[in-house]
């Protein structure tokens, strides 16, 4: 039986009148890459901060490898790696100097630190730039060194909070490869993102979170099964009078229509065969179709099905 690395039970956290987390519960198995998927502001970072001991919950509890956490201990923090959204590097220092600094914070002795720094620099693909100042790095390169600094101490459990925000495609793919290598080594990872395609690539079990609540939980296959075998049709509209939206809803009622930020979402089987007729009906209503996208069921379809809005809204 697979051991649970982390059990989150009924965690609630408020900031004044704002409920950032509302009785959140989930289980992360040892050695898995677990996806926490949701839009910006859903509560993902707050949960990461509670798990890592930066914030205390108002109620609920955590169990870490079978032991209940009352207070975050030094031993607990040393067993974790935390990769935040913010870049935590010194621009005037080189990549290697940054990693040497962090190795001292982790308490690594100099002889073992040297070899470990070499390892992580190769892992993130920046050994050839190790002596260049961080200030000369691109955003993606900084994020890769940020990851290297967070795993110097070989943690068994890593929290990754949106590690690919604002980076180039090459750096994003290199980060994915690093995560997949860590997974092969048996490291447990929680990966937060509002990019559905990232979670679909990297994670097996997923929790979808919105407004501080877990709205769905399970394997990717289980979650996608919630919306059945229908295709998701996204139709971007212009010039649709607001009073016509009710008519659109009535016309496409069987396709479970939803509007979000100028986009009409429909769910239907064999969308390709029906698309011409759908567009003609919309044009006849006086609206202009500027873009159409048809997708097979995926995690974003689940989010739309559960909330009535797109994942990035």
């Amino acid at each position: 039986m697979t051991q649970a690395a982390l059990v989150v039970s009924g965690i609630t956290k408020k900031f004044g009148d704002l409920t950032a987390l509302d009785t959140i519960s989930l289980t992360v198995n040892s050695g898995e890459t677990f996806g926490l998927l949701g839009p910006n502001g859903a509560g993902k970072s707050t949960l990461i901060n509670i798990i890592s001991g930066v914030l205390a919950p108002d109620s609920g509890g955590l169990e870490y490898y079978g032991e209940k956490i009352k207070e975050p201990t030094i031993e607990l923090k040393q067993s974790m790696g935390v990769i935040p959204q913010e870049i935590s590097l010194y621009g005037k220092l080189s990549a290697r100097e940054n990693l040497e600094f962090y190795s001292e914070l982790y308490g690594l002795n100099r002889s073992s630190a040297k070899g470990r720094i070499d390892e992580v620099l190769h892992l993130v693909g920046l050994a050839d730039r190790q002596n260049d100042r961080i200030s000369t790095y691109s955003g993606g390169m900084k994020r890769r060194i940020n990851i290297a600094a967070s795993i110097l101490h070989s943690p068994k459990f890593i929290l990754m909070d949106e590690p690919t925000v604002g980076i180039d495609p090459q750096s994003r793919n290199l980060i994915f490869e690093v995560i997949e290598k860590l997974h092969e080594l048996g490291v447990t990872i929680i990966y937060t993102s509002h990019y559905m395609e990232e979670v679909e690539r990297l994670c097996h079990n997923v929790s979808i979170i919105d407004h501080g609540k877990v709205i769905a939980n399970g394997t990717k296959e289980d979650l996608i099964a919630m919306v059945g075998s229908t295709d998701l049709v996204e139709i971007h509209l212009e010039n649709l009078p607001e009073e016509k939206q009710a008519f659109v809803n009535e016309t496409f009622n069987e396709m479970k229509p939803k509007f979000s930020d100028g986009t009409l979402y429909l769910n239907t089987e064999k969308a390709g065969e029906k698309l011409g007729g759908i567009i003609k009906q919309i044009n006849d209503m006086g609206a202009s179709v500027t873009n159409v996208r048809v997708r097979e069921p995926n995690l974003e379809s689940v989010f739309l099905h559960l909330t009535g809005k797109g994942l990035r809204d």
Side-chain angles (χ1 to χ4, degrees):
M1 183 177 178
T2 304
Q3 179 190 20
L6 179 74
V7 178
V8 176
S9 302
I11 291 287
T12 294
K13 182 66 180 179
K14 295 184 178 182
F15 299 100
D17 294 331
L18 173 67
T19 301
L21 297 175
D22 188 355
T23 58
I24 291 278
S25 295
L26 54 88
T27 298
V28 180
N29 294 321
S30 180
E32 79 165 319
T33 301
F34 182 94
L36 196 60
L37 181 65
N40 292 325
K44 304 186 299 295
S45 294
T46 301
L47 181 58
I48 292 295
N49 287 334
I50 288 174
I51 294 170
S52 62
V54 174
L55 289 175
D58 296 330
S59 60
L62 300 171
E63 192 174 291
Y64 186 65
Y65 289 96
E67 294 188 13
K68 292 185 178 179
I69 301 174
K70 295 181 180 178
E71 295 287 339
T73 63
I74 294 296
E75 292 76 19
L76 171 70
K77 292 182 178 181
Q78 286 178 336
S79 73
M80 288 186 178
V82 181
I83 299 167
Q85 291 185 33
E86 301 78 17
I87 301 296
S88 304
L89 302 170
Y90 294 94
K92 292 184 178 180
L93 299 180
S94 69
R96 188 167 197 97
E97 288 169 336
N98 269 277
L99 295 178
E100 288 171 346
F101 170 75
Y102 276 105
S103 71
E104 290 186 19
L105 292 184
Y106 290 131
L108 302 179
N109 63 61
R110 289 195 175 185
S111 59
S112 61
K114 182 181 184 303
R116 182 58 182 160
I117 290 171
D118 289 339
E119 286 180 21
V120 297
L121 282 167
H122 280 94
L123 184 65
V124 299
L126 287 169
D128 60 333
R129 295 288 304 273
Q130 61 181 289
N131 295 317
D132 295 346
R133 285 188 177 189
I134 290 295
S135 60
T136 67
Y137 277 22
S138 68
M141 292 165 67
K142 289 175 182 176
R143 287 207 170 272
R144 284 148 62 190
I145 292 296
N146 217 39
I147 291 174
S150 300
I151 62 175
L152 271 172
H153 57 308
S154 302
K156 65 179 180 180
F157 191 101
I158 300 176
L159 299 160
M160 294 189 171
D161 192 9
E162 307 246 14
T164 65
V165 171
I167 65 172
D168 58 277
Q170 181 184 13
S171 287
R172 177 176 282 111
N173 283 327
L174 283 167
I175 288 173
F176 291 162
E177 290 173 10
V178 170
I179 294 168
E180 287 162 351
K181 288 175 184 175
L182 291 169
H183 174 69
E184 290 173 7
L185 294 172
V187 178
T188 305
I189 300 170
I190 292 182
Y191 187 93
T192 84
S193 182
H194 63 278
Y195 296 120
M196 168 273 300
E197 61 274 12
E198 294 187 357
V199 171
E200 287 200 325
R201 169 173 172 169
L202 297 169
C203 307
H204 177 65
N205 288 301
V206 179
S207 282
I208 300 179
I209 182 172
D210 190 33
H211 296 300
K213 290 178 176 287
V214 172
I215 59 173
N217 201 8
T219 66
K220 291 179 290 187
E221 293 75 18
D222 289 342
L223 295 180
I224 291 170
M226 295 173 64
V227 296
S229 60
T230 58
D231 297 323
L232 175 65
V233 184
E234 298 179 12
I235 304 174
H236 300 269
L237 303 175
E238 286 185 355
N239 306 320
L240 179 68
E242 193 170 332
E243 62 270 14
K244 288 287 185 73
Q245 287 192 12
F247 185 57
V248 170
N249 286 333
E250 182 180 342
T251 302
F252 301 110
N253 182 57
E254 293 183 359
M255 299 182 191
K256 301 177 182 177
K258 291 185 174 70
F259 281 99
S260 179
D261 194 25
T263 300
L264 170 65
Y265 295 90
L266 302 172
N267 291 276
T268 182
E269 295 182 352
K270 300 180 179 179
E273 298 177 8
K274 301 176 182 177
L275 202 52
I278 292 171
I279 292 173
K280 183 178 184 305
Q281 287 178 288
I282 293 172
N283 288 335
D284 289 345
M285 296 175 195
S288 300
V289 175
T290 60
N291 191 32
V292 177
R293 186 179 181 186
V294 178
R295 289 186 287 179
E296 295 180 353
N298 56 28
L299 293 177
E300 192 157 1
S301 307
V302 178
F303 191 85
L304 178 66
H305 172 75
L306 293 171
T307 67
K309 61 185 179 183
L311 189 55
R312 293 172 181 82
D313 293 349

